[in-house]
Amino acid sequence: IHPQREASAQSVSLNLAKLSAELAARIASIPVEPGQRIAKGTVIAQLDCADIRIAAQRAQAALESSQARLKLEQLQLQRSNELAAKNFISPAALDAKKTDVAVVAAEVKLNAAARAATQRDVGKCTLRSPYPAIVEARLAQVGEFASPGTPIVQLWDTSRMQLSAQVQQTDAEWLSKAHPVFISQ
């Protein structure tokens, strides 16, 4: 193929990302090394999240407790409806019981949201690669305390690469008009 030209070139990722901690915790492990190729979903760091797991257990217990109280309040409302039908309790007492059920039902929703938030935090304890990548650098070390935003690993996205070459101005004009063939060693 003529004319033939040579130029140094390198592969460059279109997505070079520093993956960071999303919560405050000590770094328990970083099982990847610079230069290592990793698949999407590979664990790149594990944070020590014992306190967050305890908070998740508390949130689960609070949800179960409020669900049990809601069941009791609903049974009591059912009995109150039966008694109100026989005029054994006043309409005001029945309204109060309905309000109690509504308050505990709202508490169940609140506790369910708290449980979901803590479970999400537990998921943030494990950092995974969002794409197939090459580990460029470890930016933190095991044992360090990571706060939200602390970069831990820098990755090159291998699914979005481009060739970058430095060519002379005259060759650049020729390349824009031709259909070049690139040969790599």
Side-chain angles (χ1 to χ4, degrees), residues 22-25 43 45-60 114-128:
E22 291 187 59
L23 44 84
V43 174
Q46 185 68 46
L47 303 177
D48 178 9
C49 292
D51 294 339
I52 293 170
R53 286 186 178 86
I54 291 169
Q57 290 172 346
R58 278 191 203 133
Q60 179 65 34
R115 181 189 65 174
T118 57
Q119 286 176 337
R120 183 167 159 74
D121 284 346
V122 168
K124 292 176 183 177
C125 294
T126 302
L127 277 74
R128 296 183 182 277

Side-chain angles (χ1 to χ4, degrees), residues 64-112:
E64 290 171 5
S65 173
S66 61
Q67 287 172 333
R69 284 195 3 252
L70 178 60
K71 235 183 211 183
L72 175 64
E73 290 292 337
Q74 288 170 335
L75 285 172
Q76 289 177 348
L77 176 60
Q78 183 180 353
R79 289 183 190 124
S80 294
N81 278 328
E82 291 168 1
L83 291 173
K86 298 176 184 175
N87 289 325
F88 285 126
I89 63 169
S90 69
L94 183 61
D95 289 342
K97 189 47 69 181
K98 288 177 182 176
T99 301
D100 290 344
V101 169
V103 167
V104 176
E107 191 177 309
V108 167
K109 288 180 182 178
L110 181 66
N111 287 334

Side-chain angles (χ1 to χ4, degrees), residues 6 38 41 53 76 85 123 146 158 170 172:
E6 289 186 17
I38 57 175
R53 286 186 178 86
Q76 289 177 348
T158 56
T170 56

